[in-house]
Amino acid sequence: MMEVAGPWTEVFEGSEMKDMSDGAETLLGSSTLTLAPLVPESPSIRRSQPILITVNRAKGVEHFSSSIPNPFPELCSPSKSPVLNNSLPQLSSNKHLVKVYGEDSHSRSVWVSRAATAREVCHMLVQTAHCSDQENWALLELYPTLGLERCLEDHEVVVEVQATWSLKGDTRLVFCKNYAKYEFFRKPVLFFPETMISDSADVTKDMTSSELIQNLLKSGTCPEIQGFLQVKEPSRKAWKKVYFFLRRSGLYCSTKGSSKEPRHLQYVADLDDLNVYTVVNSRKLYGAPTDFTFCIKDLKILCAENEQTRTCWTSAFRLFKYGKQLQCNYQLSKSAPKILEGSKLTDAKSKSEASLVAMDFSGKAGGRVIENPTEAQSAEREEGQAWRRREALRCSLPNSNAAARPSSIHKSQPWFHGGVSRKETQRLIEKQGLVDGMFLIRESQQHAQCFVLSLCYKLKTKHYLVIPCEEGGRKYFTMDDGLTLFIDLLQLVEFHQINKGILPVCLKHPCVCVAL
């Protein structure tokens, strides 16, 4: 191959050709390909000679590629490609992509509108993840590096929350359960102790402190809170006890003990401009004296003496900031799941299920169709429990095959968390809300073949050891040294959902982890 400057054409000559360089006639037995310029610089025609092409000829490559048209321009310029443009969804500016993480660290991205609230995004994720229930779901705003987290209010716009994040940060949204979001409306006395209410001194003889709290909550406000909190001093590792007051006008601290006099009160923060966060692992990250730490504007870390005190402060912050909006959110949370369930009842059933009817064969006259839906659900539940008891009893016989025993029936239950540690258990229960009756079962790390029932009661997590035992050649589980026996962990949970037994409260809310 040979490079030729300027335009050129191909010329094929006959078998006879004169060699112009020698001046003699030479006969060639075959045709020869020569290159003749369109505008010849000289009358002579030069025969092409083979030349060596080196590997690095960037200039030559650029010269030829610029002269040859691209046969596939749509692959090089997607913006002009009708194929690629039609394959991508035409998204309007009103749609935003929101990335949400599950508690298993896997994530899912969903397209939401600019005005989508946390409640609406949760409902979308419930349908996408095929969750069994519609209630008590929440979006958690998490700062992993700082150890901060807070539950978004149902009315908060998700896109606006994300707009406040730093582009270089690791902030994320986590989809999880939160049973304690509106628990202070159900049990206000537990969340607002009388000793922390500054209005209790002004209560008339005809109104108790609990009645005052309930009246204030119904009106969309909160009693004024007061008490000691530990604050980390700036540029020092030491923590100092300071007396704080939380009022409708903002957060104040006293410069002289617990004095309420205006000259001793120092303004700390405005409630409209701040969010309150729970601090995770505060001892390690910030050297806090206790684990009951929360954070407000400008990373002001406040440390309480116990969980009840911290919950009281964080709940009061929310009530003072949002007022009646929380009361509306609470009412919607109670009514929305029922409406959603009723509107999609026909969609949830498949065609095969719709063609089935409930039958009762207990009578002597033959079977009858159960027309009452409540009776049909009760019969279905009783039949399922009876079948499971018969199957578990058959597999627990001493002569039965050990491999067929239902030792792993609990592994498919949402309340079973495998070999999770005690510390991680407390973190999971705390994240999903410290409400009475929240529980999970895990494998014991100290006792082989044993399990632990972790239960929340009065804002504290208690742990009960579940021990396997044998009686009459059959295997059972017990929590009270053999006084009450259960054939498996599922029966143990079902029993304590109805009866307290040795527990302080019945099992009510399973602590679940959702995979998106």
Side-chain angles (χ1 to χ4, degrees):
M1 182 178 293
M2 174 178 144
E3 293 185 6
V4 179
W8 54 274
T9 59
E10 299 179 358
V11 178
F12 290 88
E13 299 183 356
S15 59
E16 295 182 359
M17 182 177 180
K18 293 182 178 181
D19 191 349
M20 305 300 297
S21 60
D22 302 78
E25 297 182 355
T26 306
L27 182 64
L28 298 178
S30 60
S31 62
T32 305
L33 171 65
T34 61
L35 301 177
L38 293 177
V39 183
E41 297 178 357
S42 63
S44 62
I45 299 177
R46 293 182 299 172
R47 184 178 302 171
S48 61
Q49 297 294 332
I51 60 175
L52 179 63
I53 300 178
T54 59
V55 179
N56 297 325
R57 292 189 62 194
K59 294 182 179 180
V61 173
E62 292 177 0
H63 175 76
F64 283 106
S65 62
S66 61
S67 61
I68 300 176
N70 183 9
F72 304 105
E74 66 275 6
L75 299 181
C76 300
S77 56
S79 61
K80 299 180 180 179
S81 171
V83 179
L84 295 184
N85 285 340
N86 292 335
S87 62
L88 294 176
Q90 299 295 332
L91 298 174
S92 62
S93 59
N94 191 36
K95 291 291 184 179
H96 292 265
L97 188 64
V98 175
K99 190 174 184 180
V100 183
Y101 287 81
E103 292 184 286
D104 59 347
S105 298
H106 290 82
S107 63
R108 179 184 292 271
S109 297
V110 293
W111 289 101
V112 302
S113 63
R114 181 184 296 273
T117 62
R119 181 193 295 108
E120 294 169 348
V121 175
C122 284
H123 285 172
M124 293 175 57
L125 293 172
V126 164
Q127 300 298 326
T128 304
H130 305 287
C131 300
S132 58
D133 62 333
Q134 310 282 345
E135 300 180 71
N136 302 310
W137 293 102
L139 287 180
L140 199 71
E141 183 184 10
L142 180 63
Y143 292 80
T145 303
L146 300 177
L148 306 180
E149 61 183 28
R150 78 174 181 99
C151 178
L152 295 187
E153 304 297 346
D154 287 345
H155 66 276
E156 287 191 81
V157 179
V158 177
V159 176
E160 293 180 358
V161 173
Q162 285 189 321
T164 63
W165 298 352
S166 173
L167 297 178
K168 298 181 180 180
D170 56 352
T171 314
R172 60 180 61 178
L173 293 175
V174 180
F175 179 60
C176 64
K177 282 280 191 179
N178 191 321
Y179 296 98
K181 190 188 300 185
Y182 305 113
E183 191 69 10
F184 49 76
F185 286 116
R186 305 182 186 98
K187 300 178 181 179
V189 180
L190 178 63
F191 281 77
F192 301 101
E194 186 175 351
T195 56
M196 295 184 60
I197 301 175
S198 60
D199 295 330
S200 60
D202 303 328
V203 178
T204 60
K205 296 181 180 180
D206 298 333
M207 182 181 297
T208 62
S209 178
S210 60
E211 292 176 346
L212 171 67
I213 297 172
Q214 293 176 356
N215 291 337
L216 290 173
L217 292 180
K218 289 180 180 179
S219 62
T221 184
C222 176
E224 295 184 1
I225 304 299
Q226 63 183 10
F228 280 104
L229 293 172
Q230 297 194 55
V231 185
K232 187 175 182 180
E233 297 184 4
S235 68
R236 294 183 61 184
K237 294 184 178 180
W239 290 72
K240 181 181 179 181
K241 264 192 173 184
V242 180
Y243 205 82
F244 283 90
F245 299 90
L246 184 59
R247 299 176 176 178
R248 296 169 183 83
S249 57
L251 179 65
Y252 301 85
C253 67
S254 177
T255 58
K256 185 178 181 180
S258 58
S259 175
K260 293 183 180 181
E261 296 184 18
R263 59 193 180 96
H264 295 150
L265 294 183
Q266 182 179 355
Y267 183 77
V268 178
D270 185 7
L271 301 182
D272 295 334
D273 299 334
L274 62 83
N275 289 315
V276 58
Y277 295 85
T278 301
V279 183
V280 182
N281 200 12
S282 57
R283 289 180 181 267
K284 181 178 180 180
L285 293 177
Y286 302 101
T290 68
D291 293 323
F292 314 109
T293 313
F294 61 98
C295 174
I296 59 174
K297 184 180 179 182
D298 299 328
L299 286 180
K300 183 177 287 297
I301 309 296
L302 304 175
C303 188
E305 294 181 356
N306 50 56
E307 182 60 44
Q308 186 181 29
T309 303
R310 177 172 70 171
T311 305
C312 177
W313 281 100
T314 54
S315 302
F317 271 107
R318 294 173 56 202
L319 283 166
F320 274 131
K321 181 176 181 179
Y322 296 110
K324 286 189 176 182
Q325 183 64 55
L326 289 186
Q327 182 74 22
C328 296
N329 293 347
Y330 172 55
Q331 298 299 331
L332 281 175
S333 67
K334 295 192 300 182
S335 59
K338 297 180 182 179
I339 296 175
L340 187 63
E341 181 181 358
S343 62
K344 297 190 177 181
L345 183 61
T346 56
D347 297 337
K349 289 187 176 182
S350 62
K351 294 181 179 180
S352 60
E353 290 177 335
S355 62
L356 299 178
V357 294
M359 299 289 294
D360 179 17
F361 297 97
S362 60
K364 296 181 179 180
R368 68 177 181 90
V369 177
I370 303 177
E371 298 181 355
N372 188 352
T374 304
E375 184 183 359
Q377 292 180 359
S378 177
E380 180 184 4
R381 184 167 52 253
E382 291 178 0
E383 177 63 23
Q385 293 177 354
W387 176 87
R388 190 181 59 77
R389 292 192 191 97
R390 292 193 301 267
E391 186 69 13
L393 182 62
R394 181 185 65 82
C395 295
S396 63
L397 294 175
N399 296 329
S400 63
N401 186 10
R405 294 177 183 176
S407 58
S408 60
I409 190 173
H410 54 273
K411 293 184 178 180
S412 61
Q413 301 302 313
W415 39 257
F416 183 72
H417 287 252
V420 66
S421 64
R422 183 189 184 103
K423 184 177 181 180
E424 182 66 15
T425 297
Q426 293 177 341
R427 191 194 66 83
L428 284 173
I429 293 179
E430 179 181 323
K431 177 185 292 186
Q432 298 192 13
L434 293 171
V435 296
D436 292 349
M438 178 181 288
F439 72 98
L440 63 83
I441 293 182
R442 56 187 174 88
E443 297 173 354
S444 176
Q445 296 183 333
Q446 297 181 352
H447 306 277
Q449 298 182 350
C450 294
F451 299 89
V452 178
L453 171 64
S454 300
L455 174 67
C456 179
Y457 179 65
K458 290 186 176 180
L459 303 177
K460 295 181 180 180
T461 304
K462 300 179 179 294
H463 307 275
Y464 300 87
L465 188 63
V466 181
I467 304 174
C469 62
E470 289 190 11
E471 184 173 320
R474 298 176 181 176
K475 287 189 174 182
Y476 298 95
F477 291 98
T478 182
M479 289 195 305
D480 52 7
D481 296 331
L483 295 179
T484 309
L485 301 177
F486 304 96
I487 56 179
D488 52 38
L489 295 180
L490 186 58
Q491 189 186 50
L492 182 147
V493 170
E494 291 176 347
F495 173 83
H496 288 95
Q497 286 177 333
I498 305 173
N499 310 278
K500 291 194 302 183
I502 65 170
L503 303 178
V505 65
C506 292
L507 304 181
K508 189 176 181 181
H509 304 294
C511 183
V512 299
C513 287
V514 180
L516 292 178

